[in-house]
Amino acid sequence: MSDTLDPQVKRVLDGEADIAALPPALRAEAEAAFRVLAAVDCTPVSFSGTFDARVMAAVRARAARHGLWRRAAAWLVAPREVRVVVRPWMAGALAAAAVLAVLVARPTPETTATRVATTGIDSVAVRFVLRAPAAHAVAVAGTFNQWDATATPLVPSEGGLWTATLVLPRGEHQYAFVVDGADWLPDPAAPAVDDGFGRRNSVLTVTPGRAL
Amino acid sequence: MRHTDDADRNGPGDGAVVRAVLAGEVDQFGVLVRRYRDRYARYATHLLGSVELAEDAVQDAFVRAYERLDQCRDPDNFAGWFFLILRNRCFAERRRLARQVPVLEDIGASLPASGSTDAAVERAELRSAVQQALLALTAEQREVFVLRHVEQLSYDEIAARTGETVGALKMRMHRGYDRLRTLLREHWR
């Protein structure tokens, strides 16, 4: 008995060839293999009766926690009036801090999703631009439209540019461009994160002062 | 009391349910739990070799799906997206178990009662041996075996679910056949 199964028998097990077409010796091997396959337990599996309740209890706990975080985040970013009185002895320290801040500051990468207007305290108009001269249709899908690939089409303009302007709430949004309804492309000029399944989502952070 | 899958399938589509949950109707997520838990219970049980481990994995997968629901690009295909989450969770659990004591829990076979016929004893022995041999396959070989021979999916359907190519799936399956044949040498006749 060799260590490997004959390829013809494997094709029969895969359902791609008929066992009757095999020579007698291989047919016996295939019949033995089918006896083994027939012994595989295929009965349905049911979980305990409390499964649904446990899942939903965990989901509700996370929903409540997320609600608290949202309220805490809203409190943290809410605009407040801050008054600072600079004493003469602080001037030297502030000057040193300012020099340090200039040295460590990094330029923001150029992106195709840019703030075009502040529409209110909690929302900002953001323009999405993609250069895709060969495309017939482009849309942007993301967390702001439930990843609906048809909800936000971009409008073509000269030079193969496609644009759309959306009013987005403050916070972090993930998105991707959808070209010709099928190809999902991350924004080539924006930071991206792995979505956990081998694809990349672009990340857009909207603040009252600037987007990205 | 559990609702039946049929009752849930007659309800709103997955896309509508996902959008309702995202809009704040958290309890609507229970519709998706009832709709898909049984469908994936057997897959996870075979992959992990234990109903208890599978139950934990499916529960974790549902909770993770809820936490990342706003990243579900195609709410109408929630089932396919959820399968990938569960698959990642099962593979991670297999890797964790591989560093510990091998899992050899018998998930379906039971010993024949005294007084059983020789044929019944032989069937029970074969069933137990096959179950243990499946646990000795790699996680990737085992997954394609379960999807092909337990869930009865075609290679094209498996490829669509997993994102793997049909060629890669067949190669895994064929190596799995060879491994099973070696492990079950006594029964392969």
Side-chain angles (χ1 to χ4, degrees), chain A residues 80-169:
Chain A
R80 289 176 180 75
E81 184 178 352
V82 178
R83 295 184 179 186
V84 178
V85 178
V86 179
R87 310 282 183 198
W89 59 268
M90 293 180 181
L94 288 173
V99 169
L100 184 63
V102 169
L103 288 175
V104 301
R106 293 182 176 178
T108 305
E110 187 179 343
T111 63
T112 54
T114 52
R115 182 180 75 87
V116 291
T118 301
T119 59
I121 293 173
D122 292 320
S123 58
V124 170
V126 177
R127 182 163 55 224
F128 292 86
V129 181
L130 180 72
R131 189 173 185 279
H136 299 292
V138 177
V140 62
T143 49
F144 41 78
N145 63 8
Q146 283 76 51
W147 295 102
D148 186 339
T150 60
T152 313
L154 273 63
V155 177
S157 58
E158 288 182 8
L161 292 179
W162 296 76
T163 63
T165 301
L166 290 179
V167 176
L168 298 179

